[in-house]
């Protein structure tokens, strides 16, 4: 679907709800600065705290503004298979170019359950599906053998790997070699080593604030200038790390507000960044000239 950087968009809020004006500004900022895809209502966008009407508004607004300039990939996962199917069908009807489907959280299904879950969703839509593996949030881990089985489903085209387990990531990369399934990093700080394993890019939190930098890291690597890519990665690694000093998207929303992209408003139970963490992030951003 894309090669490079897909930004996992934050959702700007104001005192009255969704700040669609800031959302449009953010989308234009991302496209102008090199994002190759935009992910709408992923984890970073706080969809779990939105009403259905709000999510529909965010998705339809994003798809309209993006207007096929880059792929729009919509998060449609849920812990209920029926809900995930309904979300996926609706997003496809709205014009989403792809679907990002997180593992069903809380239920803690088996690998057999994961296969049945994803196959049921894939059978309900024609849109390309990205598996999203983030066991630290969901309590469920997609094992490499399960990824291999799901790679045989025609419209399951990629996996966003955010397990943080490089041994597992290597095995996933090995096991899907030649299947046509694409691997994407789900962790900014692991983008460079995952590119070396054959990843097609990253679904990035940091690119909310440094889209051109993240795009350069990936494009330099793909052009063969690994040394420059690595140097840029190392330069911005402190920021990538600082953006996870608290639960995502608390730090990145603060950083985006510092750049004038949105207000520093989150939905409870998420709360604004702690002062000591804000000071650390401020120092890193200042050091980088942001």
């Amino acid at each position: 679907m894309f090669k490079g950087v897909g930004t996992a968009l934050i959702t700007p809020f104001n005192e009255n709800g969704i700040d669609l004006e800031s959302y449009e500004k953010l989308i234009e900022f991302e496209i102008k600065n090199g994002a190759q895809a935009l992910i709408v209502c992923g984890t970073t966008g706080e969809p779990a705290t939105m009403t259905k009407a709000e999510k529909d508004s965010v998705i339809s607004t994003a798809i309209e503004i993006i207007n096929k300039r880059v792929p729009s990939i919509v998060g449609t996962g849920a812990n209920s298979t029926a809900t995930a199917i309904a979300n996926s069908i609706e997003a496809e009807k709205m014009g989403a170019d792809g679907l990002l489907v997180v593992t069903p959280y809380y239920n803690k299904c088996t690998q057999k359950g994961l296969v049945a879950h994803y196959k049921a969703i894939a059978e309900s839509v024609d849109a390309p599906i990205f598996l999203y593996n983030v066991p630290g949030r969901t309590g469920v881990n997609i094992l490499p053998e399960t990824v291999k089985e799901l790679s045989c489903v025609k419209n399951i085209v990629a996996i966003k790997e955010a397990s943080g387990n490089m041994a597992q990531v290597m095995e996933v990369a090995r096991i899907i070699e030649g299947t046509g399934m694409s691997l994407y990093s789900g962790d900014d700080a692991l983008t460079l080593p995952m590119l070396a394993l054959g990843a097609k890019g990253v679904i990035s939190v940091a690119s909310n604030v440094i889209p051109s930098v993240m795009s350069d890291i990936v494009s330099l690597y793909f052009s063969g200038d690994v040394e420059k890519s690595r140097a840029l990665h190392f330069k911005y690694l402190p920021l990538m790390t600082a953006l996870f000093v608290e639960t995502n998207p608390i730090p990145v929303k603060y950083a985006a507000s510092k750049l004038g992209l949105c207000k520093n408003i989150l939905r409870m139970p998420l709360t604004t960044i702690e002062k000591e963490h804000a000071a650390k992030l401020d120092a890193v951003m200042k050091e980088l000239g942001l």
Side-chain angles (χ1 to χ4, degrees), residues 11-200:
T11 302
F13 298 127
N14 57 29
E15 294 77 5
N16 300 313
I18 310 295
D19 183 355
L20 293 178
E21 183 178 343
S22 293
Y23 200 47
E24 180 173 4
K25 180 168 68 173
L26 176 66
I27 289 170
E28 294 298 342
F29 171 74
E30 294 297 319
I31 294 174
K32 179 182 178 181
N33 287 281
Q36 280 87 28
L38 295 176
I39 290 76
V40 180
C41 285
T43 303
T44 309
E46 301 175 74
T49 58
M50 293 184 204
T51 66
K52 184 180 185 306
E54 286 177 327
K55 282 188 279 191
D56 288 348
S57 175
V58 167
I59 294 167
S60 60
T61 298
I63 290 171
E64 181 180 356
I65 295 168
I66 294 167
N67 195 26
K68 302 296 182 181
R69 288 178 288 172
V70 297
S72 57
I73 301 168
V74 176
T76 59
N79 66 326
S80 159
T81 303
T83 302
I85 288 172
N87 292 345
S88 299
I89 291 171
E90 191 161 8
E92 183 176 51
K93 286 179 179 177
M94 287 182 181
D97 296 307
L99 309 173
L100 180 68
V101 184
V102 73
T103 53
Y105 40 86
Y106 187 76
N107 298 347
K108 299 188 76 171
C109 63
T110 63
Q111 297 299 301
K112 178 182 177 181
L114 285 175
V115 171
H117 176 78
Y118 280 114
K119 283 185 174 179
I121 297 167
E123 288 168 3
S124 72
V125 293
D126 294 320
I129 292 172
F130 286 58
L131 308 178
Y132 179 13
N133 191 37
V134 58
R137 281 187 179 267
T138 65
V140 182
N141 184 26
I142 311 179
L143 296 178
E145 296 79 9
T146 303
V147 177
K148 178 69 178 292
E149 183 173 353
L150 290 171
S151 73
C152 299
V153 180
K154 66 171 183 168
N155 57 330
I156 296 180
V157 301
I159 179 168
K160 174 187 176 182
E161 236 299 340
S163 67
N165 181 340
M166 285 303 291
Q168 175 170 311
V169 171
M170 286 190 289
E171 180 62 8
V172 168
R174 184 192 73 81
I175 211 164
I176 64 173
E177 185 78 20
T179 66
M181 175 177 268
S182 297
L183 172 67
Y184 293 88
S185 173
D187 185 333
D188 289 300
L190 296 181
T191 300
L192 191 62
M194 285 187 66
L195 292 177
L197 294 172
K200 294 293 191 297

Side-chain angles (χ1 to χ4, degrees), residues 3 195 215-229:
K3 187 175 183 179
L195 292 177
S215 180
D216 285 347
I217 289 171
V218 177
S219 63
L220 283 166
Y221 185 91
F222 285 139
S223 71
D225 201 336
V226 176
E227 187 174 342
K228 282 187 179 179
S229 175

Side-chain angles (χ1 to χ4, degrees), residues 239-284:
L239 177 62
M240 298 176 200
T241 303
L243 288 174
F244 287 86
V245 71
E246 287 187 34
T247 301
N248 178 52
I250 292 172
V252 73
K253 210 155 207 186
Y254 172 76
S257 72
K258 295 277 288 185
L259 298 180
L261 293 169
C262 67
K263 292 186 176 182
N264 186 29
I265 298 176
L266 298 108
R267 289 277 176 88
M268 288 180 67
L270 296 185
T271 51
T272 53
I273 192 168
E274 298 289 341
K275 288 183 180 179
E276 63 269 27
H277 294 151
K280 179 178 180 179
L281 189 49
D282 286 342
V284 172

